[in-house]
């Protein structure tokens, strides 16, 4: 396990869930079956939509809500692993991917609700950092620890959206532990503690609500891996607009395309760093590849 905590003897510590053989318990994947560049959609059905864009496919697998595909996209080996909904699922997926890869790069592609009036339904939101409203990451880090996107991933997502002509916003996301009460949505049959939560987040210039980003950013950062997040806006919380049909389909397609292109850009950045003999990418290394 290249990313494991080597202070722990896995074979002696019964707290660790050891899979039988090398295949991981939840995602049902083993070493070599994933690329080092990985898209993480929430919805398992998005995995097949992404796979349709691949030039070739070497592996397809589904176990529970975790649907996986590995193949090649425009010459770059990539994988897709769906996480399902919520930060608890992200924790499972990231932990098991880290156990069978060397140094993965993650891009989450998802959906969200916009909290600012200038972010329209159908736009994309690229996360620079996330408010940790969930509790999953508190089992790993102090409550004041920030969930920050890797700067290379943010730059690659911004570049990808621009290349593809997709309208995108960059800023802070709020990661909620649920969809209804946890995002301040009223529930007629149930009381909620924070009915003004969306308005409070909006006053703090948070761009959007979603349910996975902070876990990915914290866990990837702790593992020393690059991670970024881009979400399609499916709901405009300030107006109540919740489009469907063509608007939603186009937004989803824009998000998938931006995620794929961002991984190609990140692979190019990695090549530029190797050529320059540095471990940090900077704009002056860009050669248009």
């Amino acid at each position: 396990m290249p990313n494991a905590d080597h202070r722990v003897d896995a074979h002696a510590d019964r707290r660790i869930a050891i899979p039988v053989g090398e295949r991981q318990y939840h995602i049902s994947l083993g070493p070599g079956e994933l690329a080092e560049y990985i898209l993480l959609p929430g919805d398992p059905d998005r995995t097949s939509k992404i796979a349709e864009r691949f030039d070739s496919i070497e592996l397809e697998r589904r176990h529970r809500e975790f649907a996986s595909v590995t193949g090649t996209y425009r010459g770059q080996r990539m994988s897709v692993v769906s996480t399902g909904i919520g930060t608890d699922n992200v924790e499972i997926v990231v932990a098991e991917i880290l156990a069978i890869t060397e140094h993965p790069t993650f891009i989450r592609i998802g959906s969200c609700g916009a909290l600012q009036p200038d972010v329209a339904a159908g736009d994309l939101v690229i996360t620079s950092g996330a408010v940790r409203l969930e509790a999953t990451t508190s089992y790993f880090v102090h409550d004041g620890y920030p969930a920050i996107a890797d700067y290379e991933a943010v730059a690659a997502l911004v570049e990808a959206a621009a290349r593809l002509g997709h309208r995108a916003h960059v800023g802070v996301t709020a990661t909620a532990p649920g969809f209804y009460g946890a995002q301040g949505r009223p529930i007629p049959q149930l009381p909620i503690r924070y009915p003004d939560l969306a308005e409070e987040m909006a006053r703090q210039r948070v761009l959007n609500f979603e349910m996975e980003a902070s876990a990915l950013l914290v866990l990837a950062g702790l593992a020393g891996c690059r991670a970024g997040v881009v979400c399609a806006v499916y709901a405009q919380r300030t107006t109540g607009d919740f489009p469907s049909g063509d608007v939603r389909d186009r937004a989803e397609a824009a998000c998938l395309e931006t995620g794929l292109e961002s991984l190609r850009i990140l692979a190019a950045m990695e090549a530029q760093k190797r050529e320059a003999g540095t471990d940090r990418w900077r704009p002056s290394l860009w050669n248009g590849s």
Side-chain angles (χ1 to χ4, degrees):
M1 295 186 184
N3 293 291
D5 184 347
H6 297 292
R7 296 173 299 175
V8 176
D9 182 347
H11 297 289
D13 194 332
R14 289 178 293 177
R15 294 173 300 173
I16 300 175
I18 302 295
V20 177
E22 294 182 312
R23 197 166 298 286
Q24 294 298 299
Y25 183 72
H26 295 91
I27 62 176
S28 192
L29 296 168
E33 293 186 324
L34 287 178
E36 295 294 309
Y37 292 87
I38 303 171
L39 288 182
L40 298 177
D43 186 350
D45 290 338
R46 286 199 186 115
T47 301
S48 59
K49 294 179 181 179
I50 299 165
E52 290 173 358
R53 293 167 163 80
F54 279 10
D55 305 320
S56 62
I57 294 173
E58 64 185 76
L59 174 144
E60 291 184 90
R61 184 163 296 131
R62 183 161 183 165
H63 187 240
R64 302 186 185 188
E65 63 266 55
F66 309 113
S68 305
V69 174
T70 295
T72 301
Y73 176 75
R74 299 185 64 185
Q76 178 63 47
R77 189 171 186 250
M78 297 182 188
S79 292
V80 187
V81 182
S82 65
T83 64
I85 296 174
T87 55
D88 51 346
N89 275 10
V90 170
E91 186 242 23
I92 289 170
V93 170
V94 171
E96 295 192 357
I97 289 175
L98 290 175
I100 58 173
T101 55
E102 291 297 327
H103 195 251
T105 292
F106 299 103
I107 295 292
R108 162 166 154 69
I109 46 175
S111 57
C112 68
L115 297 173
Q116 299 298 332
D118 61 331
V119 181
D123 287 356
L124 300 179
V125 174
I126 296 166
T127 297
S128 58
V131 182
R132 295 167 50 216
L133 298 177
E134 41 76 29
T136 303
T137 52
S138 294
Y139 289 89
F140 294 86
V141 294
H142 188 276
D143 286 346
Y145 190 94
I148 302 172
D150 181 85
Y151 80 97
E152 292 182 14
V154 173
L157 285 164
V158 170
E159 176 66 21
R163 287 184 186 183
L164 296 167
H166 299 317
R167 179 176 153 94
H169 309 261
V170 182
V172 177
T173 289
T175 298
F179 185 78
Y180 294 102
Q183 295 186 29
R185 287 187 168 101
I187 305 172
Q189 302 87 347
L190 299 171
I192 63 172
R193 290 184 64 190
Y194 306 109
D196 299 323
L197 182 60
E199 290 78 9
E200 181 183 344
M201 291 292 101
R203 285 196 300 272
Q204 295 175 30
R205 299 303 300 164
V206 173
L207 294 186
N208 61 325
F209 260 136
E210 57 80 79
M211 296 171 61
E212 289 85 24
S214 61
L216 172 62
L217 300 181
V218 168
L219 297 180
L222 290 176
C225 298
R226 296 180 298 184
V229 177
V230 59
C231 289
V233 176
Y234 278 9
Q236 222 308 334
R237 295 289 298 272
T238 64
T239 64
D241 188 21
F242 205 107
S244 59
D246 289 345
V247 172
R248 184 165 171 160
D249 291 344
R250 286 196 299 270
E252 180 182 50
C255 190
L256 304 188
E257 293 165 3
T258 300
L260 286 166
E261 183 65 15
S262 74
L263 286 181
R264 290 186 65 247
I265 293 169
L266 283 162
M269 287 177 167
E270 199 65 26
Q272 292 160 12
K273 288 191 293 185
R274 286 194 302 269
E275 184 176 348
T278 180
D279 60 352
R280 295 180 181 178
W281 185 84
R282 57 188 186 271
S284 60
L285 296 182
W286 189 254
N287 58 20
S289 60

